[in-house]
Amino acid sequence: MINDGVLADGNAGEKMKGGCLGDGSNWRVWAVIDELETNGLSASTPDEEFTTITSRVVCVLKQWANEFAGLQTWQSLLNKNALLHEVEESIVALHLFQTWLDKRNSKSPVTLVDVCCGKGITSLLASFLFRRELYQVVALDKNASINWHHIKAANMIAANGRPRIMIWGDTNLHEIDALVERLGAIGTTLAFIGIHLCKNLSPAAVGLANNLLGVCDFLLLAPCCLPRQARNYAKFKYGPVEGQRFASFVIPVRIHESEEDRKLRLEANARRANAKRRFANMPCILCDEIHPIKKCSLLPCDESERFEIFRRAEDLSPCWRCGELGHKKEQCQKGQDSAKPRLVLPPTVEMDVATIEKEKSLFEGYCNLLAKSIQLTDVKVIDVGMVNSAASLNNSANHDNWNAERKSIYIVAVASD
């Protein structure tokens, strides 16, 4: 597992001779460079819009290819099958990010957060392209076993003046409360980029950005496969099956919650958790293991000492009704009408997918609906016309291929200065 803030002493390694890696001359990165130089992006958006950023990315790719092709550390990135696909998506995202940077009035430092980063191609490109503009890059992903050796190696390149890439492995995007605290502690303006966020990860990213209003000033999302609720709607509308009418079409999205309200909610839910615990399931005050205090092998023989220990343990046990310390359930004077404190949920807005019936495609309708839940000031849904292998098989998005536009539509939201 990669720990928070660990840059690691990655080694670039040596080029393998006579092995499967060879000198790297046949690695896919060279084909990607040739494709971008020859044909540019596979997008219907006017080429000149992406010309500058594409040229800059090609220069970075050439640097990587010349210096790292053939190195085992970089093989999983520079020779991966989907490299062109991921580079193209990153080019669009980084162009929109550059546009926001150029329009900013504030010159405060920016931390770019690569949400669900995967191999980290966007993180790496950003660290090479935006040397002066970025304070650091945070690459976060739930999967802690991803091969990030190329990121560690890049962080070790001397005298480059690039922002460091901090790897946050084992990071669950759905744990919004923990991430709000962790990201807020960085102390800089935050910018989020999330590419290919599958299912409910896109709504989770929106909820995270909403709860970091005033800190997160830029959000870019490229949603991927549709959430279960949207697929439920598609099946019901275009091919209902028995029982499908009872499926949920509603997606909850977290909205902004003040720091004080969040604190009160977490405290209330902590009391609820305490109220649900039983004495036998609490750590023993003598040995810290989980068992009833009366069964602890460390209990003294003296009866008065044992009585005092039992009294202390009871004082440290929460009330089973209200969850607070200092009294028993029988002594509880809380006026609540439930057997234990009620669960306090964070504020949300409900996205009803069934409201997108008149949209020309399910995927575009879902993106437009998701955009409405974003609480940043200026929100746009942009279709860059990127060619998707799935869409190419279907000249237009249709009801049989709900995800056909997933490489083409980007949601961009920025805060006003």
Side-chain angles (χ1 to χ4, degrees), residues 379-393:
V379 184
K380 296 178 181 178
V381 178
I382 302 172
D383 189 342
V384 299
M386 192 82 77
V387 173
N388 184 323
S389 58
S392 65
L393 299 175

Side-chain angles (χ1 to χ4, degrees), residues 177 254 257 261 265-266 268-269 342-348:
D177 290 325
R254 290 274 297 268
E257 181 181 31
D261 286 344
R265 173 173 57 82
L266 294 177
N269 289 339
R342 296 187 183 279
L343 179 65
V344 182
L345 297 175
T348 61

Side-chain angles (χ1 to χ4, degrees), residues 139-396:
L140 65 85
D141 201 283
K142 184 177 180 180
N143 187 352
S145 62
I146 295 175
N147 180 351
W148 282 305
H149 295 320
H150 47 281
I151 291 182
K152 301 175 200 174
N155 278 330
M156 296 302 294
I157 299 173
N160 50 41
R162 294 186 300 105
R164 293 290 188 175
I165 302 174
M166 312 301 290
I167 300 174
W168 288 13
D170 197 20
T171 302
N172 189 343
L173 189 60
H174 294 291
E175 296 177 351
I176 292 178
D177 290 325
L179 274 172
V180 166
E181 182 175 352
R182 192 177 179 189
L183 288 167
I186 291 177
T188 72
T189 297
L190 301 178
F192 289 177
I193 290 181
I195 298 176
H196 265 198
L197 299 193
C198 293
K199 300 180 180 178
N200 287 89
L201 288 173
S202 289
V206 171
L208 180 60
N210 285 344
N211 276 274
L212 284 165
L213 285 180
V215 179
C216 174
D217 285 357
F218 177 87
L219 170 66
L220 180 143
L221 289 178
C224 187
C225 43
L226 293 170
R228 169 182 51 82
Q229 295 89 334
R231 299 197 307 275
N232 285 343
Y233 173 69
K235 292 176 182 177
F236 177 72
K237 179 173 174 56
Y238 304 121
V241 295
E242 185 177 355
Q244 191 66 47
R245 67 175 64 88
F246 302 111
S248 172
F249 305 149
V250 175
I251 304 172
V253 181
R254 290 274 297 268
I255 57 176
H256 184 68
E257 181 181 31
S258 71
E259 185 176 347
E260 180 63 22
D261 286 344
R262 183 181 303 111
K263 179 182 177 182
L264 292 174
R265 173 173 57 82
L266 294 177
E267 288 175 350
N269 289 339
R271 290 194 297 271
R272 172 185 168 84
N274 282 339
K276 294 173 66 176
R277 298 170 70 182
R278 290 298 180 259
F279 188 74
N281 294 326
M282 294 183 60
C284 171
I285 66 171
L286 294 180
C287 66
D288 211 33
E289 294 183 2
I290 304 297
H291 58 230
I293 183 63
K294 294 182 179 180
K295 294 185 178 181
C296 183
S297 61
L298 299 182
L299 278 172
C301 296
D302 183 81
E303 195 68 29
S304 62
E305 291 182 14
R306 291 162 68 94
F307 179 81
E308 177 61 21
I309 290 172
F310 295 156
R311 188 193 64 76
R312 284 169 44 209
E314 190 172 89
D315 289 343
L316 293 173
S317 178
C319 168
W320 293 358
R321 181 174 179 82
C322 70
E324 295 183 356
L325 301 178
H327 63 266
K328 300 178 183 179
K329 178 181 178 181
E330 296 78 16
Q331 303 166 327
C332 185
Q333 313 224 343
K334 296 294 181 181
Q336 63 195 49
D337 57 0
S338 57
K340 56 183 176 291
R342 296 187 183 279
L343 179 65
V344 182
L345 297 175
T348 61
V349 62
E350 292 188 342
M351 296 196 318
D352 186 354
V353 184
T355 62
I356 66 176
E357 182 174 1
K358 295 182 180 180
E359 299 280 357
K360 69 177 184 180
S361 76
L362 182 62
F363 191 87
E364 182 178 356
Y366 164 70
C367 290
N368 287 331
L369 190 62
L370 182 61
K372 292 178 182 178
S373 69
I374 299 174
Q375 294 180 289
L376 289 167
T377 309
D378 185 13
V379 184
K380 296 178 181 178
V381 178
I382 302 172
D383 189 342
V384 299
M386 192 82 77
V387 173
N388 184 323
S389 58
S392 65
L393 299 175
N394 306 272
N395 292 330
S396 62

